[in-house]
Amino acid sequence: MTLAKAGLQPQDPSRAGAPWGETAGRADTAIAVLIGLYVAYSLALLPLVPALIGSHALWLEAISGSTLAEVTVGAQSRVGDLPLWVAVAAGVPGTMMFDWIFWWAGRRWGDRALHLFLGSDSSPRGVAKREARAARLERSAERFGPAAVVLAYYVPVPSLLIYAAAGLSGMRLRTFLLLDLVGTLLWVAPVVGLGYAIGKPAVDVVHRIDHYSLLLTIVVVVVVIGLQARKRHHALR
């Protein structure tokens, strides 16, 4: 699960209020560091998508779980470049590699993890809205349990919140990983299947993208730097 697939950027723990209370244990520090690595990894992958999509789509799929890469690899399978099962299996590691971190955060920090990922708006309205959303997520985790994890990519809620709620509900790690694997396959297989159904036209489009990959990579890097600079500027005002 990368940042784009998750649909939400977790806030810096130090800015959202320490979810571990006054003193951070080793587990708290480890979770915070892993969340930071997740954000950094997701941002680092952005310029790699246009750079690798044409020449190394299978590797890109494996390390990022990119939907574009999954469609591309599915199309390559259709034209005989690789078996279909390889195209599906390669999408699993990159898609679910960080999911357990958010389960761990929910298990360790309880509803404070949900508040952390829901944002850091300290206004009365923001706090009330965050508390209401956290309460709904907790109720959903209790009501739907395993089904919520399996269908995480299909419900209109960022998946990392569902994983945190699963940890909060007391779900065991082994159970979570098994359900997450099933849910990941239910997401990756149809996306790869879409590429397989499109076939050669999709491969042709990707080759055209690869022709302009250097330019697209530069554009992505400039956009990311610009967004980060704008965010920093607003934070200092």
Side-chain angles (χ1 to χ4, degrees), residues 188 194 227:
V188 173
L194 175 63
L227 290 174

Side-chain angles (χ1 to χ4, degrees), residues 7-8 34 86 130 149 179 202 210 213 219:
L8 181 67
L34 287 169
V86 173
R130 186 165 62 247
V149 177
L179 295 172
D210 186 50
S213 61
V219 170

Side-chain angles (χ1 to χ4, degrees), residues 40-224:
Y41 185 83
S42 298
L43 293 175
L45 284 175
L46 291 178
L48 289 181
V49 173
L52 298 179
I53 191 63
S55 57
H56 298 87
L58 186 64
W59 282 106
L60 180 62
E61 181 191 21
I63 65 174
S64 70
S66 163
T67 300
L68 179 59
E70 291 166 358
V71 172
T72 301
V73 172
Q76 291 175 343
S77 178
R78 174 68 178 271
V79 299
D81 289 348
L82 72 163
L84 183 59
W85 72 266
V86 173
V88 174
V92 173
T95 302
M96 63 178 293
M97 72 167 69
F98 291 106
D99 297 352
W100 64 276
I101 298 172
F102 300 101
W103 169 89
W104 191 14
R107 184 68 176 263
R108 175 77 178 181
W109 296 336
D111 61 354
R112 291 170 295 176
L114 298 179
H115 285 272
L116 174 66
F117 300 139
L118 286 169
S120 56
D121 187 353
S122 59
S123 67
R125 181 178 180 182
V127 171
K129 184 177 180 180
R130 186 165 62 247
E131 289 180 348
R133 291 190 65 189
R136 286 198 300 269
L137 285 166
E138 289 186 56
R139 290 194 299 269
S140 297
E142 293 176 358
R143 180 178 179 182
F144 298 106
V149 177
V150 172
L151 300 176
Y153 289 112
Y154 292 96
V155 298
V157 175
S159 55
L160 65 84
L161 292 174
I162 294 176
Y163 303 148
L168 167 63
S169 70
M171 182 180 293
R172 293 186 301 174
L173 177 59
R174 182 170 58 184
T175 302
F176 171 77
L177 291 176
L178 179 60
L179 295 172
D180 191 27
L181 175 61
V182 174
T184 299
L185 287 171
L186 287 177
W187 171 258
V188 173
V191 174
V192 172
L194 175 63
Y196 186 88
I198 297 174
K200 191 175 185 302
V203 176
D204 294 338
V205 170
V206 169
H207 285 164
R208 177 61 66 181
I209 293 174
D210 186 50
H211 182 71
Y212 298 101
S213 61
L214 178 59
L215 177 60
L216 289 172
T217 301
I218 293 173
V219 170
V220 170
V221 170
V222 170
V223 170
V224 170

